[in-house]
Amino acid sequence: MSAPSIVDLESPGCTDAVLLGDWHVVATSAEIGYGDLHATTLLERDLVLWRDREGEMHAWDDLCVHRGARLSKGFVKDNRVVCPYHGWNYDGEAKCVFMPAAPSEKPMKKARAIPHHVQEKYGLVWVCIGTPAHDIPSFPEWDDHSYKKVVCGPYRFRSGYRAVENFIDASHFPFVHAGVNGVIDDPDPIAPYEVYEDDQGIYSTEVRVTQPYGDPRGIPVIAYYAYRVFRPLVAYFKKRVVIADPARAHEGDEADRFCTFLTAQPVDQTTSIVRICCAMNFDPAPSDEDVRRRQDLVYAQDSAIVDTQRPERIPVELRYELHHRSDLMGQKYRSWLKSAGVTYGAFGSL
Ligand code: FES
Ligand SMILES: [Fe+2]
């Protein structure tokens, strides 16, 4: 057994098995190159991410077992992490292999950094600080080369669950995204839709809305959203887009789709970081910059409202707040969180 982490003694953080055994996105792959020490926090646990010379990613507690200094304040040299305090060197196996104060001594066995499970997938860095209970959810379009992918974010939100719930809610579009994803003077009625559960989570049938600027092409469309929640903090939609003006229909194709895979990193109970990967098969495809510009706008509009919601922690008991049939997906999401045993960041769950 490894030495107990001082972090454990300092802050118990999250105790929900469902979240501890889950994979969470903590960075994008592109932001961590060889030589970088990237500090981040997951479920109140401070982590340092680094990539070795062979390209492999590592995620450790951001803590040197010698005297508790933050490794992220150190540097990478010769494929090792060097602690900023007394210069202990840790190799890619998390082992201390050199102590400058005793250069000829072999460091003791217990001199190890505290590593966590880490994987890179979909241009994102995923970490599990417990024992992984399942695989990273599958992003259906990732291996389909007819889809262009663009990673966007990070976007800061308070509650990651409220960010997910907002992502699977089409009735806010005309108000929060007036002129972009909806029309404020002519909001779409939301026709009844269904929500089902399977072994991958919950999913909805299509929800139809009108969008003046519903995708990065800037063409007014009728959009049909099919939502999915894979994990408590991972969601997805596949949007079928039909050009609204028949005279411009030739600019699109009936196979046109715009998809988004959304992840929320739970930093603590009321701080989260959303990152998304968009996938689209339009021809011609919009530029990466066009996609990012539009997503930056939409997520800024979302967080400006979502971060005002109270309580900050999402109520998972349906007796709190009001639920209309147009909110069915959000309602099912809350019940599903509760049945999965989510209490961390949730309000009213025992
Ligand atoms: S605290 Fe890291 S080397 Fe001393
Ligand atoms: Fe939104």
Side-chain angles (χ1 to χ4, degrees):
M1 224 172 104
S2 60
S5 165
I6 292 163
V7 177
D8 290 333
L9 307 174
E10 213 176 41
S11 147
C14 171
T15 54
D16 290 349
V18 60
L19 297 177
L20 293 172
D22 215 347
W23 290 98
H24 301 277
V25 169
V26 294
T28 59
S29 288
E31 65 192 312
I32 305 169
Y34 175 71
D36 297 327
L37 289 175
H38 184 93
T40 190
T41 303
L42 175 62
L43 298 167
E44 294 170 52
R45 193 147 188 149
D46 291 327
L47 304 176
V48 58
L49 307 174
W50 69 284
R51 189 189 290 288
D52 64 29
R53 223 164 18 207
E54 289 70 44
E56 201 178 319
M57 187 69 72
H58 302 272
W60 300 346
D61 272 358
D62 190 6
L63 178 101
C64 177
V65 291
H66 179 216
R67 287 289 181 269
R70 275 187 194 277
L71 292 172
S72 61
K73 297 284 186 196
F75 54 93
V76 176
K77 192 179 169 208
D78 299 334
N79 221 14
R80 296 168 178 177
V81 174
V82 183
C83 177
Y85 201 0
H86 312 94
W88 285 18
N89 282 210
Y90 294 90
D91 70 5
E93 308 279 290
K95 269 199 329 248
C96 176
V97 290
F98 182 64
M99 299 182 299
S104 57
E105 268 178 45
K106 191 168 172 219
M108 46 283 213
K109 264 212 172 93
K110 279 188 169 173
R112 294 180 59 88
I114 299 153
H116 297 288
H117 300 278
V118 61
Q119 287 190 61
E120 289 183 84
K121 212 163 185 184
Y122 318 136
L124 303 166
V125 181
W126 301 74
V127 168
C128 173
I129 58 173
T131 304
H134 51 79
D135 294 335
I136 291 170
S138 79
F139 180 0
E141 288 71 31
W142 182 255
D143 291 321
D144 183 338
H145 298 296
S146 63
Y147 281 81
K148 174 192 174 94
K149 284 82 174 187
V150 185
V151 173
C152 305
Y155 306 121
R156 291 196 78 91
F157 281 76
R158 288 185 180 159
S159 166
Y161 308 115
R162 291 219 188 250
V164 168
E165 187 182 63
N166 169 72
F167 176 78
I168 54 174
D169 166 19
S171 66
H172 76 274
F173 293 165
F175 303 95
V176 176
H177 310 295
V180 179
N181 275 345
V183 183
I184 197 162
D185 294 327
D186 189 17
D188 287 301
I190 302 293
Y193 60 93
E194 304 298 328
V195 176
Y196 300 102
E197 183 172 347
D198 63 11
D199 57 357
Q200 291 189 71
I202 53 171
Y203 64 97
S204 76
T205 55
E206 285 185 333
V207 181
R208 180 195 186 279
V209 291
T210 321
Q211 300 195 316
Y213 179 40
D215 60 57
R217 297 176 299 183
I219 308 172
V221 295
I222 308 295
Y224 300 84
Y225 282 81
Y227 293 110
R228 255 202 180 277
V229 176
F230 290 118
R231 300 297 314 151
L233 293 162
V234 181
Y236 161 88
F237 69 67
K238 183 164 197 158
K239 177 165 81 166
R240 184 160 66 87
V241 282
V242 177
I243 292 179
D245 178 358
R248 296 186 68 183
H250 62 279
E251 293 178 47
D253 185 281
E254 63 177 39
D256 284 349
R257 299 287 183 277
F258 184 91
C259 310
T260 301
F261 187 89
L262 176 142
T263 67
Q265 170 184 352
V267 173
D268 59 32
Q269 300 208 51
T270 53
T271 311
S272 64
I273 304 170
V274 167
R275 297 177 181 85
I276 61 172
C277 182
C278 299
M280 67 223 74
N281 62 352
F282 307 144
D283 185 19
S287 69
D288 290 19
E289 293 66 39
D290 282 347
V291 175
R292 287 205 186 96
R293 196 174 306 120
R294 184 171 182 288
Q295 299 305 320
D296 291 353
L297 167 70
V298 166
Y299 284 79
Q301 291 173 331
D302 281 324
S303 63
I305 302 303
V306 171
D307 283 354
T308 70
Q309 290 180 275
R310 284 145 298 155
E312 281 178 287
R313 292 183 298 145
I314 196 169
V316 292
E317 303 269 4
L318 296 185
R319 65 196 155 95
Y320 299 111
E321 302 190 333
L322 294 173
H323 306 279
H324 180 257
R325 64 152 181 80
S326 55
D327 308 314
L328 188 63
M329 188 66 182
Q331 190 180 320
K332 295 284 186 192
Y333 172 56
R334 292 183 182 201
S335 302
W336 182 78
L337 287 177
K338 182 169 185 268
S339 65
V342 170
T343 63
Y344 187 82
F347 176 85
S349 186
L350 299 174

